[in-house]
Every structure is written in structure tokens, then in C-alpha cells.
Amino acid sequence: MSMFKLCFICSVLSVVFTSASAFMTNGETFRRKLSVEVNPGLNPPSSLPPGVNLVHVRAQGHNDTLHFIFCNQGAPSLLLVHTNSTKSTVHVNWPEFINRTSSGSLKVEPQSSVQYSNALMITRLWEYSDVNNTADPQNTSESRFYPPYELQNFIWSDLNTTVNQSDHRIMICGGDRTVSFINGSFCLQISAYESEGRESSWPSLLHNSNSTQVRMWLDGVTSRGNNSRFMLELQTVGDSEFQGRVDVRSSIDDEYTPSIFKVSQWVSFPVNSSRIWGYTQWKPVAYRKPRPVFEDATPCKHSQPVPIAQPPHSGLIQAYFRGHPQTYGLNISFGIAGDPFYNVTNYLSWTVLMGMGDPPADSFSTLIIIIMAIGLGTPLVLIIVGGVFVWIRKRMSQSTGYEPIN
């Protein structure tokens, strides 16, 4: 083997391990400064109905600000507003907001700094009887739907007692007045983040400083049949010049979410442009226990988004958006054919991420990078060692030839 070939192989090996090292040390260093405020500017005699609150999470960057605003007046809604100012603030006209007398009672000022606005609403919880265990809610001959649970009519716990200022988390639980929710509840936990990372609990979605996570779960709710499955209705509301689609991306790495190799993302982008401005992202999996093991995972499916003529009642949506905003809706159904029904564990959780810009994308994990480096590096090392051995043997054989006889 020539020295040129030997140097070439060494260079390739160096690139492999250098790339692996770069992947392992890569991470987002940008951080936002977060603050959490409940009912900003609300003073007596103005007061919200019992159990209703508005929470503002302000995420300040170097030259912009994200405002995440959650409210459970009507259908629970999470509003994201991005501004190009570090001084932008949220202003609420509380008498008008409480009475829902007009749109525009909630503003982000200065309004000229607003670059993008989008809201995610959790509108309905559907329950259906999966008679033939096909987990196909679209097949009406095999699935019998019960009247939906309208989340705009739920009675919620006091959010004031569950706001975690240090961890930037909000948790709220509620239910309607039916027998199903006597011993059970539907809960939401909203988490905002200063920088890139991921939650330790499955599905361990990758988040960044431009996103917030919503985890929702059913716990102890009495199903209305022995073969019940559930389906969740989501709606997004945004400016009229935006449109949306659902993309599904695949991966070969399931280290953080075992057995799940896909991620779904409902993206929002300007008309006549492919640039993504915002997203709602999830992995197609739900869990049947609070601390799940592999066997407790259940796949979920989404329908295609369809335009909605009129969004449901939401105090936050009505207060912020003017005119006729663009509204789309889709359903997330939980379970596949043969999976246990809800009443086996009386628990179901699902997690979604909402944010601005391109959705977070998982690169290869450290474990996969090491495996790839070893898989590619080991043959190259063997080739190099073998080539050096052959070259040395060849040199030795040339230097130890027979001497001529005088």
C-alpha cells in the first residue's frame, strides 16, 4: 500500500471522528429571559369568574420578545405573539375582557412591533365506542360516538395555586358536571423554556427557547362504555395571510421516544411562501400510565386540517384577534386496532409543542453517533493496520534477500 493511500485513509478516519465530536458538542447556547405573571394589571373591583385566569409568560431575547398567553375563559387557548422589540408589553382592558364586549381588549404594544401571532385551542374531547376494536373513528358503522365534552364549558381548578414561577410551569385541571368527571379530570400542564433541552419523561420532545410545551392527560374519568376510546379536537387561529399543513418527518433514532421513528408538525407559513413562521409539533404516541414503560405506549393518528368557519367561544381569541382570523381544526385519535381500551388503566396522556420558527429537529443522539463512528471507524482502522503490516513485511522481505556467492 502506497503512503498516499495510507494518508488518505487516515484523513477519512479523522473526518469521521471529528464530525462525531462536532455533533456531540453541538447545542443551542441562546437563552431567553423568562417571567411569569398571572392576570397582569387586574385590580379590584374587576374580577374574573372562579377558576378562570390569564397567564402571561414573557420571553425576552437579545432583540425580540415572545409572549405566551394562556387563558381558560371558554375553550383553553394558548396564544403566541412574536415582536421585534425587547420593550413590548401585554395590555388588557379588563372590564371589556371579562364581559367579552368587543375584540381588541387584549393587545401587545407597540402593535407595530408584532411580527407573528398564532393560537392553539383545545376545543373538544370526543369519546366513541370502538365496537369491533378497529380504532377507526371515521368508520361510523363500527364506531358509535357519544356527545362530546365541550372544554369551553369545563369548570377548572384555581390556576393561581399551580403556577410555578421558578420552573415556568402552569398546571390546571377541570371537568364538566357529568358523572364521568366525578372522580376524574382533564389536566393541562404548560411549560416555557429559556433554552434548548428536553423533558426527562416520555415522549421527551426536543424544545428550544422559541417554544413552549403543553402536556394534557385524562385521569380517572369514567368511560361511558366498555370499549371506549378518545379523540381530541384542536384548532389553530392565526392571521388571514397565513396557511397551514401537517408534515410528517421520519428518523432512524428512537433513543428518547422508544419505538417511535416519526414526528408530526402542523406548520404555519405565509401565502405564496415556504418559510415556516410557527408550528405545533408532536410525536404520534400517547401513554396509558403516568410513569409509563414501553408496553404502556399507544400510537395516535391525526386527521388533515380543515378550515373552520367560526372558532368556538374563547375569551382570549375574541379579545386578541380582530375581524375574521384564519381558523383550522384537526382531530388526534388515540389507539390502534388491538390496543387496550381506556378503562383498562383509566389514564391517557399526550404532549404537544408550540413555537415560532422552524420546528426543533432531532439530530443523531450521542449513542447513535458513537455506534456510527465505531461502525465506520473500525473497518478503516483494520484496513490501516493491515496495510501497514503488509507494507512492513514487504520492506522486510526486500531487505533480507539472498547474498550472491563468491
Side-chain angles (χ1 to χ4, degrees):
M1 179 181 290
S2 67
M3 290 302 297
F4 174 77
K5 291 182 179 179
L6 185 62
C7 291
F8 174 75
I9 293 174
C10 289
S11 299
V12 172
L13 187 61
S14 175
V15 169
V16 170
F17 283 100
T18 301
S19 300
S21 176
F23 268 117
M24 286 185 283
T25 58
N26 184 33
E28 186 190 79
T29 57
F30 174 69
R31 300 180 71 88
R32 289 186 179 274
K33 182 181 179 181
L34 299 189
S35 61
V36 181
E37 189 176 9
V38 181
N39 302 327
L42 178 62
N43 298 308
S46 298
S47 63
L48 285 163
V52 174
N53 285 283
L54 184 147
V55 181
H56 172 218
V57 179
R58 190 174 189 273
Q60 181 181 323
H62 298 316
N63 53 15
D64 69 338
T65 305
L66 291 176
H67 299 274
F68 293 101
I69 306 166
F70 173 78
C71 185
N72 61 329
Q73 186 183 42
S77 306
L78 179 63
L79 171 66
L80 164 61
V81 181
H82 175 233
T83 71
N84 61 6
S85 169
T86 58
K87 305 296 184 182
S88 59
T89 58
V90 171
H91 175 75
V92 184
N93 184 325
W94 283 107
E96 291 185 4
F97 183 90
I98 294 169
N99 296 323
R100 304 190 192 183
T101 55
S102 64
S103 61
S105 59
L106 186 148
K107 300 176 182 178
V108 175
E109 299 177 334
Q111 291 182 280
S112 60
S113 68
V114 175
Q115 303 295 297
Y116 170 76
S117 304
N118 193 54
L120 174 67
M121 290 187 296
I122 307 161
T123 52
R124 291 183 181 90
L125 180 65
W126 295 91
E127 181 183 354
Y128 68 96
S129 178
D130 186 12
V131 179
N132 295 323
N133 200 4
T134 60
D136 184 11
Q138 304 302 322
N139 191 335
T140 56
S141 63
E142 296 183 349
S143 304
R144 182 170 66 89
F145 277 83
Y146 300 103
Y149 297 108
E150 300 281 352
L151 269 68
Q152 65 185 18
N153 298 327
F154 272 24
I155 301 170
W156 301 96
S157 58
D158 186 7
L159 191 148
N160 256 307
T161 63
T162 56
V163 174
N164 189 319
Q165 294 280 354
S166 58
D167 289 341
H168 312 113
R169 295 183 190 273
I170 306 159
M171 194 181 78
I172 188 170
C173 295
D176 64 6
R177 295 180 174 86
T178 62
V179 175
S180 298
F181 283 89
I182 289 179
N183 297 313
S185 59
F186 177 75
C187 297
L188 302 171
Q189 179 178 279
I190 300 165
S191 305
Y193 304 105
E194 295 178 337
S195 60
E196 184 179 281
R198 65 176 76 244
E199 298 283 348
S200 58
S201 58
W202 292 349
S204 302
L205 294 177
L206 177 66
H207 60 253
N208 58 29
S209 56
N210 293 331
S211 62
T212 187
Q213 179 178 281
V214 183
R215 179 173 173 261
M216 50 197 82
W217 66 93
L218 278 174
D219 187 8
V221 175
T222 304
S223 57
R224 288 174 280 188
N226 293 327
N227 304 320
S228 285
R229 298 193 190 277
F230 283 91
M231 186 168 67
L232 197 63
E233 180 183 288
L234 304 179
Q235 294 186 18
T236 62
V237 181
D239 299 323
S240 57
E241 64 266 24
F242 287 87
Q243 55 188 1
R245 67 172 186 267
V246 177
D247 298 331
V248 178
R249 298 174 53 182
S250 299
S251 171
I252 65 170
D253 187 359
D254 72 335
E255 178 182 357
Y256 299 106
T257 313
S259 78
I260 304 300
F261 297 92
K262 292 181 179 180
V263 60
S264 302
Q265 46 202 35
W266 189 1
V267 297
S268 175
F269 54 94
V271 178
N272 301 322
S273 173
S274 59
R275 181 185 178 189
I276 295 174
W277 276 77
Y279 60 86
T280 302
Q281 184 189 70
W282 65 91
K283 290 195 175 182
V285 63
Y287 297 99
R288 294 190 296 267
K289 288 184 180 179
R291 290 185 173 86
V293 293
F294 178 78
E295 292 77 12
D296 298 322
T298 183
C300 60
K301 298 174 288 186
H302 69 269
S303 64
Q304 290 302 311
V306 295
I308 305 293
Q310 183 68 34
H313 294 293
S314 166
L316 181 58
I317 302 304
Q318 182 180 349
Y320 179 78
F321 289 98
R322 297 173 180 268
H324 300 283
Q326 194 78 42
T327 305
Y328 289 91
L330 58 71
N331 294 323
I332 306 290
S333 59
F334 304 104
I336 58 174
D339 268 5
F341 298 110
Y342 171 79
N343 61 3
V344 173
T345 60
N346 283 340
Y347 185 90
L348 186 68
S349 71
W350 181 68
T351 304
V352 65
L353 197 72
M354 180 185 181
M356 182 208 69
D358 292 327
D362 275 315
S363 59
F364 290 123
S365 67
T366 303
L367 176 62
I368 295 297
I369 293 170
I370 293 173
I371 292 173
M372 290 174 62
I374 293 174
L376 293 173
T378 302
L380 290 176
V381 170
L382 293 176
I383 292 174
I384 292 171
V385 173
V388 171
F389 177 76
V390 170
W391 179 75
I392 293 173
R393 291 281 297 177
K394 185 175 181 180
R395 296 285 294 179
M396 290 177 64
S397 64
Q398 290 176 351
S399 63
T400 59
Y402 291 108
E403 295 291 334
I405 303 174
N406 293 329

